[in-house]
Amino acid sequence: MKKTREIALPRQRSKGTKAVTHRLNRLRTHTQPGRDAEGSRASGGAKRDVVLDCGWGRLLFAQTFSDDEKLLSELREEAPSSRDIAFYVRDPHVLLSRAPQEIFLDPSHTYRLDLWTYRANTRRTRGITIRRLASEADGDGINRVYAACGMVQIRSDFFSSERDDRSLTYFVAQDDATGEIVGTVTGIDHQRLFDDPDRGASLWCLAVHPQARQPGIGEHLVRKLAEHFQARGLSYVDLSVMHDNTLAIGLYEKLNFRRMPLFAIKRKNAINEKFFAIPHQSYDALNPYARLIVDEATRRGIHVEITDAEGGFFRLSHGGRSVHCRESLSELTSGVAMSICDDKAITRRMVSTAGLVVPDQMEVGEDREAVRAFLEKHGKLVVKPARGEQGRGISVGITTMEALEEAIASARQVCDRVLLEAFFEGEDLRLVIIDYTLVAAAVRLPPRVIGDGRSKIASLIGKQSRRREAATGGESRIPLDAETDRCLAEQGLDLETILDEGREITVRKAANLHAGGSIHDVTEIVHPDLVEAACSAARAINIPVVGIDLMVRDPAEPDYVFIEANERPGLANHEPQPTAASFIELLFPGSRTAV
């Protein structure tokens, strides 16, 4: 027995050593795609100088190029408004030295998932269907997601054009309730594209609409693509992610992606400018609403001086003209117009005189019987501070005196003067008017969450709030306050309730974006009467840039009541409509985008 044991042990040790050696060899082999064990370039039947059109730009697989000059020549063929990427660049420092004025090293990390060790997830998605792209309508949905995420969109003819797309795979996440595309991911099969000897693949353009309600969409899309490539017998999936995208990196590391010493090179163009140009001083401290305008001005060659980043102040100068701005509020808006918008009671009187439909309104005084009578007359009220912004102190759908007293006290924390308004059942429509012309129209919806059968409502709100914060640079979150408690209580719920799987609830009735609301573009379908009402309100106030809020039953129908005017509308909320471009055109007529 002793002799047998002594013989068996070396055999076990030898088997383990071989397994470890095998894993190490595979890791070494797959570190640099297109190289064999000695580090030479790919050989055999692999295709050369491989370039793949992705609709938003081209991917240049650098390991297939015979020399740097050919790769640079191809990069110089980048189309306008596109973003080409040279991936798997073996010696980026050498390539950069050949054209330092034209190209730059992309500040992204590369991660890899080894498919030979990947284990599929058996947990099903809830409220979301992950499927292959099936129609041009799906392509439109992908572009809506890209636009909402600030990504370069796919050109309109891409999905309908005749092309060999065997190497490209698109998955979309479709909301089961609305049918909308709320997420997407693109995969590239390197084996099918250029007979990759390493049998690799890559993941591109993972995007989830920032207003998607269901959690975990990004993870399900990545897993679906990984399982798809695993079934094809591929070895790994690589991806490139911006170095400071902590949420995405956290997801990839959770799924066991690992960092790889692989690099990408891009051309210096207007789209990529923020990655290679010296940034404006204090640029990073700007909020998304100011940053959008600063970026547009910079693209047009307009000088930008950030005067107070925290407050969103900057000065734009061009052709002898200088305009000081605070986000979308500029010196072109008079103090009188601003004071009209600042007081909701005055705004209502001004637009009512101009012929707009306004709700019945009263200011809260000492006479509580008058307050009670106003509630009994209308049955349901909106309570708001006479002065204020970003939805602070607003309570919607008040039906009892007890709730009304609490709402009045909450509004008085924002402003001593409190207004009561008759409640109008419908949707909150924001129309952005610039130079007395409609630029964007969007329906704003209150924050909602969907149950998973396991999580408390407080946890679901926290997840949704984190997504909204990430999508808006910290500008939007769902408060856990008395208004949230009241909205839940009306539904027989509280923050500790575990919400049934698939059940969707509203957690606040106000649709303000800063309080976690979402926004949905309706510019193409908004009724002309609503556009005329908004433009008339802007002319009555005599304000060149304004956000007009109406309550409507349907944005495609003419019925409405006026709610308020915002002298500093958030232009970043209305992508892909050209809000920033229209704003800059107002300030500097005829300015053109710098090439």
Side-chain angles (χ1 to χ4, degrees):
M1 291 297 295
K2 182 177 179 182
K3 184 176 181 181
T4 303
R5 193 178 303 115
E6 288 175 346
I7 295 173
L9 283 174
R11 287 178 181 173
Q12 292 172 354
R13 191 176 295 118
S14 175
K15 182 179 179 180
T17 302
K18 287 181 179 179
V20 171
T21 302
H22 171 69
R23 293 191 189 99
L24 289 174
N25 284 336
R26 292 200 65 166
L27 290 176
R28 293 190 191 102
T29 301
H30 294 311
T31 296
Q32 290 284 356
R35 292 173 181 260
D36 58 23
E38 284 73 40
S40 61
R41 295 181 184 273
S43 58
K47 296 179 182 178
R48 296 292 185 182
D49 304 339
V50 176
V51 179
L52 179 66
D53 182 8
C54 297
W56 41 262
R58 302 175 306 159
L59 282 172
L60 287 64
F61 289 83
Q63 76 272 35
T64 68
F65 280 76
S66 56
D67 59 61
D68 288 343
E69 287 305 321
K70 282 190 176 182
L71 183 58
L72 281 173
S73 178
E74 196 64 53
L75 275 171
R76 292 185 179 112
E77 296 299 316
E78 181 182 68
S81 302
S82 296
R83 176 182 285 175
D84 289 356
I85 304 172
F87 199 43
Y88 298 124
V89 178
R90 282 175 286 269
D91 299 311
H93 55 296
V94 176
L95 189 64
L96 285 170
S97 71
R98 298 183 185 277
Q101 301 303 318
E102 298 179 72
I103 60 175
F104 70 98
L105 181 65
D106 184 46
S108 296
H109 295 320
T110 300
Y111 278 81
R112 171 170 296 179
L113 178 66
D114 293 303
L115 295 178
W116 46 283
T117 60
Y118 174 75
R119 296 293 178 266
N121 181 26
T122 58
R123 192 180 67 184
R124 68 184 183 88
T125 57
R126 296 179 173 86
I128 289 290
T129 297
I130 308 293
R131 59 173 177 78
R132 295 281 290 270
L133 178 140
S135 67
E136 288 188 41
D138 286 346
D140 293 338
I142 288 175
N143 268 343
R144 283 192 291 272
V145 173
Y146 286 174
C149 295
M151 298 164 62
V152 179
Q153 297 179 54
I154 298 172
R155 65 177 186 273
S156 59
D157 67 332
F158 181 73
F159 290 114
S160 61
S161 61
E162 291 293 332
R163 55 190 173 79
D164 181 7
D165 59 356
R166 294 183 311 118
S167 60
L168 274 168
T169 299
Y170 296 90
F171 284 106
V172 295
Q174 184 174 27
D175 189 312
D176 293 340
T178 66
E180 293 181 350
I181 301 301
V182 295
T184 180
V185 69
T186 304
I188 299 175
D189 184 333
H190 300 176
Q191 174 68 19
R192 291 190 174 187
L193 181 62
F194 56 89
D195 300 321
D196 181 16
D198 293 326
R199 300 188 64 81
S202 53
L203 178 157
W204 299 91
C205 301
L206 175 66
V208 176
H209 199 294
Q211 295 171 177
R213 299 161 299 166
Q214 298 85 349
I217 297 174
E219 178 179 344
H220 289 302
L221 284 165
V222 174
R223 287 187 177 278
K224 185 71 172 181
L225 187 65
E227 291 157 19
H228 171 75
F229 284 143
Q230 189 180 51
R232 285 187 177 182
L234 299 183
S235 298
Y236 60 81
V237 179
D238 287 346
L239 60 84
S240 180
V241 58
M242 197 55 56
H243 71 97
D244 57 356
N245 190 347
T246 55
L247 288 178
I249 289 173
L251 167 62
Y252 299 138
E253 291 181 342
K254 170 187 173 183
L255 296 177
N256 295 320
F257 280 79
R258 56 190 173 86
R259 279 277 301 277
M260 298 293 292
L262 302 172
F263 305 97
I265 294 289
K266 297 178 182 176
R267 281 193 71 230
K268 294 181 177 180
N269 60 25
I271 297 173
N272 296 322
E273 186 172 14
K274 61 183 177 181
F275 299 123
F276 63 84
I278 298 174
H280 298 291
Q281 187 176 8
S282 305
Y283 174 85
D284 290 341
L286 291 173
N287 63 38
Y289 307 108
R291 193 175 298 171
L292 179 77
I293 299 170
V294 166
D295 287 344
E296 181 65 25
T298 301
R299 279 193 291 269
R300 292 169 177 255
I302 296 170
H303 177 72
V304 177
E305 177 192 358
I306 299 174
T307 53
D308 186 273
E310 187 175 348
F313 289 88
F314 50 88
R315 183 181 298 280
L316 306 179
S317 303
H318 183 67
R321 178 181 176 86
S322 178
V323 184
H324 207 188
C325 306
R326 184 183 187 189
E327 300 165 12
S328 63
L329 176 66
S330 76
E331 294 173 330
L332 275 63
T333 296
S334 70
V336 172
M338 186 171 174
S339 65
I340 292 171
C341 293
D342 185 54
D343 192 311
K344 294 176 175 61
I346 297 175
T347 311
R348 177 183 175 277
R349 293 198 297 269
M350 293 287 290
V351 301
S352 177
T353 302
L356 272 73
V357 181
V358 298
D360 195 8
Q361 185 185 89
M362 70 167 286
E363 185 171 333
V364 176
E366 297 298 324
D367 187 352
R368 275 302 183 266
E369 285 307 312
V371 170
R372 185 184 299 275
F374 194 80
L375 175 61
E376 291 175 354
K377 176 182 177 181
H378 296 288
K380 189 178 288 189
L381 301 179
V382 176
V383 181
K384 59 176 68 173
R387 303 176 67 179
E389 60 181 2
Q390 300 182 351
R392 289 191 290 267
I394 295 179
S395 300
V396 178
I398 301 297
T399 58
T400 67
M401 274 301 294
E402 180 182 2
L404 184 56
E405 292 291 356
E406 292 178 358
I408 291 171
S410 176
R412 279 198 168 132
Q413 293 178 8
V414 179
C415 178
D416 289 338
R417 292 173 51 228
V418 176
L419 304 176
L420 307 182
E421 277 185 359
F423 177 80
F424 181 90
E425 195 74 48
E427 297 180 320
D428 187 338
L429 176 66
R430 162 64 63 87
L431 300 106
V432 177
I433 307 298
I434 298 179
D435 201 14
Y436 308 102
T437 301
L438 177 72
V439 175
V443 168
R444 301 188 298 179
L445 301 178
R448 299 171 66 85
V449 298
I450 298 177
D452 59 9
R454 304 186 308 272
S455 304
K456 295 179 180 179
I457 291 177
S459 175
L460 295 172
I461 290 176
K463 291 178 181 178
Q464 181 78 332
S465 198
R466 286 191 291 274
R467 176 179 288 172
R468 296 293 296 132
E469 282 189 278
T472 62
E475 293 292 315
S476 177
R477 63 182 62 84
I478 305 173
L480 298 178
D481 57 14
E483 176 64 10
T484 303
D485 290 339
R486 184 181 67 81
C487 184
L488 293 175
E490 288 182 358
Q491 303 168 77
L493 307 168
D494 60 38
L495 292 172
E496 296 300 307
T497 301
I498 295 177
L499 202 59
D500 293 340
E501 181 178 345
R503 182 181 177 185
E504 185 175 11
I505 63 167
T506 299
V507 297
R508 292 176 70 85
K509 292 188 177 181
N512 190 276
L513 297 180
H514 286 84
S518 59
I519 189 163
H520 305 266
D521 184 74
V522 295
T523 307
E524 298 301 320
I525 66 168
V526 66
H527 195 279
D529 287 2
L530 304 181
V531 177
E532 178 55 34
C535 292
S536 295
R539 287 191 290 268
I541 301 169
N542 193 25
I543 185 168
V545 179
V546 65
I548 300 296
D549 294 340
L550 308 177
M551 287 299 295
V552 301
R553 301 197 191 284
D554 187 319
E557 299 296 330
D559 298 331
Y560 76 92
V561 294
F562 173 87
I563 301 301
E564 64 183 39
N566 189 316
E567 76 280 1
R568 186 162 45 103
L571 302 185
N573 299 323
H574 296 274
E575 295 287 353
Q577 301 303 330
T579 52
S582 298
F583 180 76
I584 295 297
E585 284 285 349
L586 171 70
L587 271 53
F588 302 97
S591 61
R592 295 181 179 179
T593 304
V595 178

